[in-house]
Amino acid sequence: VTPSLVSSPPSLSPTCRHALLSATRLYVPDASMRSALIVSTARTGLAKSFRGGFNNTHGIVLAGHAIKHAVAKAGVDPAMVEDVFMGCGMPEGETGMNVARNSLLWAGLPVTTSGTTVNRFCSSGLQAIAFAAHSIIVDQVPCAIGGGVDSITLVQPKAFNPKAGVVEKSLFKHPVYKALWMPMIDTADLVATKYGISRERQDAYALMSQQRTFAAQQAGKYNDEIVPLETEMAVTNKETKEVTYQKYTVVKDECNRGDTTIESLQKLKVLNGEKDPNATVTAGNASQLSDGASACLLMEEKEVERLGLTPLGRFEGFAVGGCSPEEMGIGPSIAVPRLLKRHNLTVNDIDLWEINEAFAVVSLFNMDFLKIDPEKVNVNG
């Protein structure tokens, strides 16, 4: 798991998802060293996998759309962007062939702009932003883009086929490392059982997340991030199975349910109930599969000043931490203390937290372990 520390003006809400920490600090230019500033961000809405608006949209289009509009929002010459880093949890198929490079060309950036694709699974996009920042700070790159893209719809059915060579035999026989191929739902159930996080707590957290997301949407808090994308959606007739195609525009996140109630969550079946009597994860306290992309444009501080741009925040630091694969959801409890220690900070110094909500149990465990005030975590869902 890879948390990142970013400082930003207090009036701005965090826009980068997954394990993102945002600390409010006074923005004071420092001429003694290079600094990476986040200038703009753009993303697609999140569409439901398989039956949502992006179920027929190539990964290059998703990522290219985000890159194109991140550059446009920054108002800079596309030729200034020296490198593009795109995270991808499944960098194969329609998100393969170095999707970062292909996407930037689709977006209209010149052939002189390089691109590389990064895989750290759930934190791939955050890792890409860190790489972009590091290239600016260490390698004197003036401007770079970091972001992420995934098309669960088009790639996952092909990528997770054991017969296609995904499984390596010796690791798969290892008593611990075989969990590298364990379904994420199984790891979430294991964490919930091992650390005593009940179904009731998970459902309550899921309800709060749904309510916060809906409230943020109603207040327009995502409007500045999301750039509508017109595409062609595949529609399958339930009776005849005939597939037709229709024009469709994804204008918002479509995966949340604003009318969720605690009663509706409690009625849902446990997904692993037949094979695990202790299972507690349901479709309601787990995140929905979705397709989409996002991109952040970063620039060196002096370039930002020279162009008279207003930054969204400063990249402050980054840390990673590994754990046993069968309980992958506890990763932030290892990475976050490492990051804070290196910056002489404590949990209480952080004003806003973003922790991966792949499962309610992930957020709950890490908030419990790190002793984080829930009112500061994922405030917009």
Side-chain angles (χ1 to χ4, degrees), residues 30 38 40 57 79 120 153 168 176 189 191 220 240 298 344:
D30 184 354
I38 300 172
S40 68
T57 305
R120 203 189 279 275
T153 300
E168 194 282 320
V176 175
D189 274 326
V191 169
T240 66
L298 294 85
N344 296 314

Side-chain angles (χ1 to χ4, degrees), residues 72 74 88 136 142 171 220 225 380:
C88 184
I136 291 170
L171 280 177
E225 307 172 9
N380 290 325

